[in-house]
Amino acid sequence: MKISNNDRAKILSQALPYIQKYAGKTIVVKYGGNAMVSDELKDAMMNDIVLMQSVGINVVLVHGGGPEINRMLEKVGKEPTFINGLRYTDEETMEIVQMVLAGKVNKELVQHLERRGGKAIGLCGIDGSMIRAQKLEDGVDLGYVGEIVEVNTKVITDTIADGYVPVISTVAGGGNGGVYNINADIAASWIAAELGAKKLILMTDIRGLLEDRDDEDTLIPMVNISDVPKLQRQGIISGGMIPKIDCCVEAVRKGVGRAHILDGRIPHCILIELFSDEGVGTMLY
Amino acid sequence: MKISNNDRAKILSQALPYIQKYAGKTIVVKYGGNAMVSDELKDAMMNDIVLMQSVGINVVLVHGGGPEINRMLEKVGKEPTFINGLRYTDEETMEIVQMVLAGKVNKELVQHLERRGGKAIGLCGIDGSMIRAQKLEDGVDLGYVGEIVEVNTKVITDTIADGYVPVISTVAGGGNGGVYNINADIAASWIAAELGAKKLILMTDIRGLLEDRDDEDTLIPMVNISDVPKLQRQGIISGGMIPKIDCCVEAVRKGVGRAHILDGRIPHCILIELFSDEGVGTMLY
Amino acid sequence: MKISNNDRAKILSQALPYIQKYAGKTIVVKYGGNAMVSDELKDAMMNDIVLMQSVGINVVLVHGGGPEINRMLEKVGKEPTFINGLRYTDEETMEIVQMVLAGKVNKELVQHLERRGGKAIGLCGIDGSMIRAQKLEDGVDLGYVGEIVEVNTKVITDTIADGYVPVISTVAGGGNGGVYNINADIAASWIAAELGAKKLILMTDIRGLLEDRDDEDTLIPMVNISDVPKLQRQGIISGGMIPKIDCCVEAVRKGVGRAHILDGRIPHCILIELFSDEGVGTMLY
Amino acid sequence: MKISNNDRAKILSQALPYIQKYAGKTIVVKYGGNAMVSDELKDAMMNDIVLMQSVGINVVLVHGGGPEINRMLEKVGKEPTFINGLRYTDEETMEIVQMVLAGKVNKELVQHLERRGGKAIGLCGIDGSMIRAQKLEDGVDLGYVGEIVEVNTKVITDTIADGYVPVISTVAGGGNGGVYNINADIAASWIAAELGAKKLILMTDIRGLLEDRDDEDTLIPMVNISDVPKLQRQGIISGGMIPKIDCCVEAVRKGVGRAHILDGRIPHCILIELFSDEGVGTMLY
Amino acid sequence: MKISNNDRAKILSQALPYIQKYAGKTIVVKYGGNAMVSDELKDAMMNDIVLMQSVGINVVLVHGGGPEINRMLEKVGKEPTFINGLRYTDEETMEIVQMVLAGKVNKELVQHLERRGGKAIGLCGIDGSMIRAQKLEDGVDLGYVGEIVEVNTKVITDTIADGYVPVISTVAGGGNGGVYNINADIAASWIAAELGAKKLILMTDIRGLLEDRDDEDTLIPMVNISDVPKLQRQGIISGGMIPKIDCCVEAVRKGVGRAHILDGRIPHCILIELFSDEGVGTMLY
Amino acid sequence: MKISNNDRAKILSQALPYIQKYAGKTIVVKYGGNAMVSDELKDAMMNDIVLMQSVGINVVLVHGGGPEINRMLEKVGKEPTFINGLRYTDEETMEIVQMVLAGKVNKELVQHLERRGGKAIGLCGIDGSMIRAQKLEDGVDLGYVGEIVEVNTKVITDTIADGYVPVISTVAGGGNGGVYNINADIAASWIAAELGAKKLILMTDIRGLLEDRDDEDTLIPMVNISDVPKLQRQGIISGGMIPKIDCCVEAVRKGVGRAHILDGRIPHCILIELFSDEGVGTMLY
C-alpha cells in the first residue's frame, strides 16, 4: 500500500461520524482464537483497542486462553479428560487454568496495551467480587466448570472511570471460597448486559454466520434475534455456532444495542466494523 | 482514490500515536485566507476541527474575515482609505467590521461545526471581557485599529470545559467603551500564549517559509526561533511573512510548544500536520 | 431627590424579602423598544441586569433590534417589502438582520454589562444549536422569517452555571444550514418555558394591558390566563397586544411562574417590579 | 419618609458597585452594646445581617452579652467582685456567663436570623475546638477570664460553605478541660485575622474615635494604624477606646483589609458603611 | 482485668463484622439519666461516641439534662410547679432550661468529644430551624412545653457531611418567635425517623423492658412493635416505660431499622450492643 | 480465653487513640513467609487487613509466594539452578513465577479479603505500568531477576480512592516488553516511599532484630537508622537480616514514617503493633 498523505488525511477525516457515534459508549470485546495466537493479528488488535480508548470509547476486554492452557497442562503432564466432549476440570486443572488466564495471558494483554500508550488493568472475576459463580449443574459432573450467578460491575465501572481498559479473565469465585472456570463468551455476554453496553463483539475464527457453512461467500450479515429459532431449525445455526449465537441473543435481549460475531482472522476487523459502513461479520440486533 | 476497507482500517490504526500525543492538549488555530473562501477547503477544515474535538483535542478557532468585510463595505458604498498601505478604520467601517466578523462569519463557522456534530460557541473579544484593547499608537492614526492590552482566558477555558469549541472574532472592547479591530494572527498568538497552548497554527495561502520565495520546492520545514533574526537579515523572511513569523516567535517565546505556518490551500492540511510524521508547512520552535 | 443615608439604608434593608424571593431563580427578560433606544433607559436597564445577577438571580437577556436593523438596511439602500403588513425577509435582508443582531446589538449589550462589572456572553440561536427553526409557513411566503422547532437550553444553562448572563439574539439555524429570523418575544417565551423560569418579562413601550387603550390610567394589573379569551373577544386585548399576550399565555401554560408586560419607558421598571409590592405593568398568571 | 417607587428603585440600583465590592468576601462583625439591647436597633441589625448574607457576603457574627449576664447574676444573687476595675470571674460566674452567652443570647440571635429567612448556626469557641484559651496571666488573678492561644477556623469556614451565618459566643475551652470567658472584641479580631477577612466591624455605643471626646462632631473618620501610637500619646485614644483600637490595629496588621468602629446606635449603620461612600464611624487601615 | 496483647488483638479482630455492619450508617443516641451524671459512665460514653465516629458511624447525639436544670432552678430559687405530675414551664423556667441545655450541658458534651479527638458541634432545635415546635395542647396548660411540628434535618446532615458529631439540645423555636422545651426522647425519635437512621438508642436507668418489673432477670430482649399493644394491656409496658416504648414504636414505624432501650448504668453499653451478638437491653423492631 | 462482654467493650474502647492515629494514613504491608503458609495465621492476617481497611487505614498489600512457586516448579519437573546462592531465573521459570504470583497467590488473597467483606483488587507491576524494571546487573547473570527502575503509584492511588485494598504481585514489565521478577521486600519499600506511606511493615519468620541471634529474648525493639552501619559492623545485622534492614532504611530515608520487621508467626501481630503501645518486632525510624 502506497497512499499519499492527502489520501491518508481524507480517510481519517471520514472516520468522524463513526467516532462521534461511539464516543462515551461501552463496547465489550471477547477476544480469543486466532486473533490471539498470531503475532500480527494480536499486534493489530492491541493497537485497535488503544485507538478505541483514545477516541473515547469505553472498551472492556474479556479474554480466553485455550492454547496457552493446553500448553501448560501438557507441561505438567496432565492428560485431558473429556465427558460427552466437554473437558472435565479437576482441581489441578483448575489451578493451571487460573494461573494461565489470570497470571499470564491477562497480564500479557495489559502489558501490550500499556506499551502502546493505553492504560489498562488486569482483572478476573474474583477482583472486587465481579463474577459470582457456582458449579455448573448440567447433568454431568464437569468438576470446576462454573456458571455465573451474579455479575457486579462496580470494579469494572470504577476502573473505566479511572481511565483504564479493564482486561478480564473469566475465572470466578464461588460462595464457598472455591474458584470456577467460566466460558468467556458467556461472561462477556453477561458483562455487556449488566453494563448496558452499546455493543458486544465476539471474535471468532470464521467469517460469521454462513448460509452454507462450506462457502464463506454466503455470509449472513444481519440477523434479527427473533429469527434465530427458525435459523436453528433450518440447521444454519448449528454446532459451535449455537452457543455463540445464544450469547449474542441473551445480550441483545437484556438491552445491549448490537452483538457481533467478527472474523478475528482479518487484521483490524474491529476498526472496519466500527469505523466504516461495511460490516465484516454477522450482526445480531 | 479507491482504497480497501483493510487499508482504511490500517491507516486509522496508524493515527494512534498522534492522537495520544495531542489528546487533552490545546491547539489554537488561526483560520483565514483561501481555506475560508473555497467551499471545498472550508468543508474539509470544519470536518477536521470537529474530528480534532472528537479525539479529545481542545481546539480554539480564531478567525479573520477580510473578503466578507470588503464585500459588505462595498455594499454600503464605503471607499477604503489606506495610510502607508494600512487600512484606515473609521467608526462606520469599524461597525461593519464588527457586524461581519462577530455577527456573520463567526456564527456561520459555529453553524458549520454544529451541523457536523461538533459543539461550538461563537465569541468575540468583548464576551467575558476576553480581550482588552486600546487604540494602536504606531506613528499614524489608523482609527479603530487596536492593539491588545490584556487577554483574559476565563471565558475560553469555561467554554472548553463545558465541551464547546470557542470560535473567536477578534473584535475587542476598550476601557472607554469603544470597540477595536484586532489583527487575527496577533490575537491568536496572544491567546495561545495565555492558554499555554501546545500549538499555534496559522493558516496561510502559501506553502510556508521559502528559501526562494518564487520556488515552492524550497520550503524550510523547521525554524528555530533563534535563527529568525538572521533569516530576516538574509531577506528570506520578508514582506507579509514578517508579521506572521513574529506572531509565531512571540507565541513560542511565551511558552507555546510549536507554532506552524500551514498552507491552507491543501485540504485537510491540519490533519496531515497533526496525524503524520510529514509536516506541511513551516514549524517554529 | 435628596435622600439621607439613613433613608437610603432603610430602603436597601426593605429589599431583603424580595431578594430572598428571587435568589437562585431564573428570570427571562425580553429587552427591546424604547428601553433599548434611549441612552438613559438603557443605562438604567444594564445596571439593573447586573444588580439582579449580583443578588443571585439567573438573568437571561433576549433582545430585539428593530431600529438598528432599519438603519442598516437603509444604509445598504434596501427597500423594505411588506406583505399583509409583515416584513418580507429576503436573503440579503436576513444577512443584515443577523449581522446587526448577533454582531452589533448583542455584543454592545455584553459590553455594557461587562463594563458595569457584570459577567456576560453574547449568544444567538446558532450557538450550541440553541434554537432550531424552520421557515414560517403561515399562508404567505415571508422569506427567511422562521418559527421555532426546538429549543435546547444546554448552552444557556452552561453559561449561567459558569456565572455569565447569556445575552441572546434570536437568529436561529435551520436543519438545512439556513438561517432564520425569529420573533424575539416568541423566542423569550420558548426559552423561559424550556428553562422552567420563574418569570418572563416582556419590555414594551406601553403601560401594560389597558381597559381603554387611550387611557393609561385604566391599566389592568393582573390577568389570569383563563380570562384571556374573554378579554380578546371584548377587544381589550387587540392589535399588537395580541401576540405579546399570547407569548405570556404560552409561557405560563408551560410552567413559567409569572409573565409580565412591563413599561420599558419607566427607568428601573424591572427593579420596581421585582423589589417592591407595587407592580408596574400587567402580570399574567 | 415618603419615597416614590422610582426613587426606591434608583437607590437600589445605586447599591450595585458596593454589592460587587463585597460579594464573596468575609466580614466579621462584633455585635454588642446598645445595638443589642434596643429592640428597634436589633431588628434593623438582624435584617441587615440577612441582607448581607443574601447578596453573597460571608458574615461572621461575634457577640457579647453583658446586660443579660448581669441580669442573670443578679437573679442567682451573685455579687460582682472587681479587681482593679476588672470583673473577677469565679467558677459559678463562669457557669452563668457560658449559659447566658452560648445558651441564650446566641440562640436568640440565630432565631432572629432564621425568622427573617437567613440561615444561621450558633457556635461557641468550644465547637470544633474553634478557640483554644488559657487563663489570662496579667499580674492579677481574674479567675476564669481567658486569653486566646489559638483560633482554628475550620468549623467557621465549614458552616459558611454550607450556607450559614456562624453566630459565635466567645466562650472557649482550655487544654485542661476548663472553660474561659474571652473578650468578644479580641475574639472577633483574632477570628477576622485568621479568616483573612476583608473587614472587621466593631459595634460600639459612640460615634467613633473623637478628636474631642465630648464633641461628637469631631469624629476622626480614618486612621492609619501607624498613627495610633501618636494618637494614644496625645490622649485622643484613651480609656475604653484603647482596647477597641488595639483590636483593630491587630486585625489590620495581620492582614484584615479594614477595621471599623461603628456607632451601633444608628439604625442600619452597617448598610450605610458598606453600601454608600459615606462612612459612619472610624475606619482603621 | 489482665489481658494479654494477643487476646486484646483477637478481641479487636472480632469486632470486624460489626464495624462493617454499621459503617456509613446513622445512629441516633438519646443520652440522659445516670449515664450522664456519673463521671465514670460519662467518660466511657464519650469515648464510645468518638470510637463510633472513628469507625465511620454517623452518630447523632441528642441529650437531656434534668439534674442540671433542677440544680439551676434551685439556685435562682424557683419552686417547681407540677400539674398532673407534669412540670409546668413558665417563661422564667423556660429561660433557665434553654440556658442549661443549650449553653452548658450541650457545650460540655462537645468539649468532652473534642478532647478525645472527636469532632463535634453543639446545636439546638433553633439552629438552621432544625426543629419547629408549637405549644403542647394536651388538655392542661403546661406553659412552654412544646410539641414538634416539623423536623428539618439539613443542618444535621450538613454537619455530619463536614465530619462532626451533631450534639443536639431539644430546645426548639416556634413560628411566633417563642421557644419551647421538647422531650428529648421524642425529639430523638423524630430525628431518627427523618434521617432514616439505622438505629435509635435510648439510654435509660433500667435494664430494659422487664416481664416482672421488680426482677431484672426477666428482661425481654426483643419486642416486635406489633406486640406492643398486647404488652401494654398486660401491664408489662407501664408507667415511665410507656412513652419510651412509644418513641421506639414511632421510629420503627417511620422506617428506623431498630430502636433500643439500653441500660446506661452499664459502662460501654453501646459498644456491647453494637459490637457483639449479645444485646444489653430491649430491642424493638 | 473467656472474656466478659464488659471487658470486651473496654478493650475495644481502648483502641480509639490508635484508630485515630492511623485513620486516613497509608500502610504498606509486605506479606510472606509463615504468615502466608499457615491457615490459622493467614485467616488472622486477612481478617486484620479488612479490619484496618474498615477503620479507615489505606492498606497496600505486597506479597511474595516462594513455597507456591517451588511447588509448581517441581510439578513441571524444573530443577532449580543456583549461582552464588541466588536462584537463576530462566525464561521458563519466570513464566511459572508470574503465573503463580499474579494468577494464583494474588487472586487467592483478593478472594480471602472479599469473602470477609473487604474490597480488594489484585494487581501486579504490569498493571497501569506500576513498576518498571530492568535486568538486575550485579556481576552475575541471574536471568529474569529484575531491579526496579521506576514506580508509578497512580494505579495504586486510584484503587485506594475507589475503596479497594490493592494486592500486589511483584512481577514487573521491562521497557523491552520482557517481564522480571522483583524481590517483594524491595518492591514494598519502593512503593511505601513513593506513596509517602506512614508505615512499612515487613512480615518475617523471626522475632525481629536480635542482639544474640540465638536468643529470642534479646530483641532490639527500636533502631535509629543512623545506627544501622554500626550494628552491621558488630555483626548484629547479618545474613538474611541485611537486605530486610536495608529495605527499611531506604524507606525511612525516603520519608516513610516508620519501618517494622514483624514476627508473622504471632497471630494478629499487625493489630498488636498498630493498636497497642507494645511493639512486637523491631521498629526502624
Side-chain angles (χ1 to χ4, degrees), chain F residues 69 73 89 92-102 171 181:
Chain F
I69 293 169
L73 285 175
T89 305
E92 197 183 10
T93 303
M94 184 61 226
E95 193 184 16
I96 300 289
V97 165
Q98 175 178 345
M99 288 197 307
V100 171
L101 289 181
V171 169
N181 186 19

Side-chain angles (χ1 to χ4, degrees), chain E residues 195-230:
Chain E
L195 288 170
K198 190 175 178 75
K199 262 189 200 311
L200 166 67
I201 293 176
L202 302 182
M203 306 291 275
T204 62
D205 288 347
I206 52 167
R207 286 250 15 217
L209 184 61
L210 304 175
E211 193 91 39
D212 170 355
R213 66 159 63 186
D214 298 324
D215 180 358
E216 293 219 333
D217 289 343
T218 63
L219 178 77
I220 304 176
M222 281 190 276
V223 176
N224 188 305
I225 59 170
S226 63
D227 294 332
V228 165
K230 196 181 63 186

Side-chain angles (χ1 to χ4, degrees), chain C residues 161-232:
Chain C
D162 289 339
Y164 301 95
V165 170
V167 179
I168 301 172
S169 300
T170 58
V171 169
N176 52 357
V179 183
Y180 295 99
N181 186 19
I182 303 291
N183 176 284
D185 289 337
I186 295 176
S189 172
W190 270 74
I191 288 169
E194 291 294 321
L195 288 171
K198 190 175 179 74
K199 263 192 200 308
L200 167 68
I201 292 176
L202 303 182
M203 305 292 275
T204 62
D205 288 347
I206 53 168
R207 284 246 24 212
L209 184 62
L210 303 176
E211 193 93 38
D212 170 355
R213 67 160 62 185
D214 299 323
D215 180 358
E216 294 219 332
D217 290 344
T218 64
L219 179 76
I220 304 175
M222 282 190 276
V223 175
N224 188 305
I225 59 169
S226 64
D227 294 332
V228 165
K230 195 182 63 187
L231 289 165
Q232 220 162 332

Side-chain angles (χ1 to χ4, degrees), chain E residues 10-37:
Chain E
K10 207 162 173 182
I11 288 165
L12 274 177
S13 78
Q14 289 165 354
L16 175 58
Y18 305 102
I19 291 175
Q20 291 174 327
K21 189 171 167 188
Y22 296 113
K25 301 300 191 303
T26 298
I27 296 182
V28 175
V29 180
K30 151 64 199 315
Y31 178 50
N34 273 315
M36 212 164 162
V37 177

Side-chain angles (χ1 to χ4, degrees), chain B residues 209-274:
Chain B
L209 183 62
L210 303 175
E211 194 90 40
D212 170 355
R213 67 157 65 185
D214 299 324
D215 181 358
E216 294 219 331
D217 290 343
T218 63
L219 179 76
I220 304 175
M222 280 190 277
V223 175
N224 188 306
I225 59 169
S226 64
D227 294 332
V228 165
K230 196 181 64 187
L231 289 165
Q232 221 163 333
R233 283 194 307 272
Q234 294 172 338
I236 291 171
I237 299 173
S238 67
M241 228 5 158
I242 295 178
K244 291 210 174 278
I245 295 281
D246 277 357
C247 286
C248 292
V249 169
E250 271 308 288
V252 172
R253 236 178 227 150
K254 291 178 187 161
V256 174
R258 300 275 183 271
H260 298 261
I261 293 175
L262 288 202
D263 186 350
R265 299 165 307 175
I266 304 172
H268 304 299
C269 63
I270 279 195
L271 292 194
I272 300 171
E273 174 53 45
L274 293 181

Side-chain angles (χ1 to χ4, degrees), chain B residues 25-76:
Chain B
K25 301 298 190 306
T26 298
I27 296 181
V28 175
V29 180
K30 152 63 200 316
Y31 177 50
N34 272 316
M36 211 163 161
V37 178
S38 143
D39 275 354
E40 191 212 334
L41 290 171
K42 190 191 253 182
D43 271 358
M45 181 73 182
M46 293 297 101
N47 192 86
D48 295 353
I49 297 293
V50 178
L51 182 68
M52 288 162 72
Q53 181 181 34
S54 77
V55 299
I57 300 172
N58 302 325
V59 191
V60 176
L61 195 62
V62 178
H63 66 87
E68 290 273 351
I69 293 169
N70 289 340
R71 194 172 62 81
M72 197 64 200
L73 284 176
E74 206 170 287
K75 221 175 213 170
V76 300

